[in-house]
Amino acid sequence: MYSYGIGTNLKRLRSKTKYSSQDIADLLEVDRNTYSNWENEATDIKSQYIPKLADIFNVKIQDLFDTEQKFQINNF
């Protein structure tokens, strides 16, 4: 089975929402390039942003790391 990284999961979650990468970056108060680097797995996400990302996408923190892609997005 193909193993997804958090960057892939962020891309998939964002594609299922109305958000652009700039929108997510603005919500996190980070530069768009920083967020893009997380999606592309070029840099690691600082742990302080993990709960915020889960809140933005309305998923559990574990869902950000889930390799099964079974999470559901609510309220979109």
Side-chain angles (χ1 to χ4, degrees):
M1 174 181 14
Y2 182 77
S3 178
Y4 297 99
I6 190 169
T8 301
N9 287 343
L10 290 176
K11 285 181 194 177
R12 288 172 182 261
L13 285 164
R14 188 171 56 79
S15 74
K16 294 179 180 184
T17 70
K18 61 182 187 252
Y19 295 123
S20 68
S21 56
Q22 184 65 59
D23 292 333
I24 303 296
D26 290 345
L27 289 167
L28 295 171
E29 299 179 350
V30 299
D31 186 77
R32 186 189 59 77
N33 288 330
T34 298
Y35 180 75
S36 293
N37 284 337
W38 296 344
E39 280 195 0
N40 295 320
E41 298 184 13
T43 58
D44 290 333
I45 302 170
K46 291 184 179 179
S47 61
Q48 70 197 47
Y49 294 108
I50 300 295
K52 294 177 185 180
L53 285 163
D55 285 344
I56 289 168
F57 292 120
N58 198 23
V59 297
K60 297 176 186 172
I61 290 173
Q62 181 58 40
D63 292 338
L64 297 174
F65 300 93
D66 189 4
T67 59
E68 297 294 321
Q69 298 299 306
K70 292 180 181 174
F71 48 75
Q72 294 184 355
I73 299 175
N74 302 311
N75 301 329
F76 288 104

